[in-house]
Amino acid sequence: MKAFLSLILLALCVGIKAKVFTKCELASTLKKAGMDGYNGYSLANWMCLSYYESKYTTNALYDNGWSRDYGIFQINSYWWCNDGKTSGAVSACSINCSSLMDDNISDDITCAKRVVRDPNGMGAWVAWNNYCKNKDVSSFVSGCAL
Ligand SMILES: *[C@@H]1O[C@H](CO)[C@@H](O)[C@H](O)[C@H]1NC(C)=O
Ligand SMILES: *[C@@H]1O[C@H](CO)[C@@H](O)[C@H](O)[C@H]1NC(C)=O
């Protein structure tokens, strides 16, 4: 019971800082952060990636057992951020994974830019490969005043 209550409290605490962006709100935030055309990828590609990785949710967490993916861009704890429990982690963005879970996505954006500068580009994101690559992604920004 005590453990259950702490879980609820934890969920509430996390809930306060977390946020689900609307489509146009995220599109505008990413555009202001210089993502449109960054490393050759249009804003619509970034939006499609975010949709399929996290549904625009800032505290999205996926645990694959040996590492975890954090935040709106589902940034991985082996390659990019440090969660203190991923064996052999490279942590190339030099940030704490927990900072990728709050409603301020400016650090997520900085790290995602680092990820996309690698030779694989957006190919680093499985969801982008599966659902966005070579597709018409224009609907992810359509109707937004940008
Ligand atoms: C990351 O930040 C959290 C919350 O501030 C802290 O509890 C944790 O120890 C930090 N983890 C690492 C690996 O620095
Ligand atoms: C978001 O975080 C960045 C640093 O990562 C900071 O410079 C900025 O002021 C923060 N924005 C808000 C609205 O708190």
Side-chain angles (χ1 to χ4, degrees), residues 33-103:
M35 298 293 257
D36 193 9
Y38 192 84
N39 219 51
Y41 294 96
S42 70
L43 182 62
N45 273 283
W46 285 107
M47 289 296 295
C48 180
L49 182 163
S50 311
Y51 178 79
Y52 285 108
E53 288 290 352
S54 71
K55 301 286 189 293
Y56 311 148
T57 307
T58 62
N59 68 338
L61 172 63
Y62 176 72
D63 190 337
N64 67 30
W66 63 277
S67 70
R68 279 144 296 280
D69 297 330
Y70 290 90
I72 198 154
F73 303 123
Q74 289 290 277
I75 287 174
N76 183 261
S77 67
Y78 180 82
W79 292 107
W80 308 109
C81 64
N82 177 17
D83 68 1
K85 52 182 182 184
T86 304
S87 162
V90 179
S91 306
C93 286
S94 304
I95 45 165
N96 186 328
C97 299
S98 68
S99 65
L100 300 174
M101 301 288 276
D102 62 17
D103 63 5

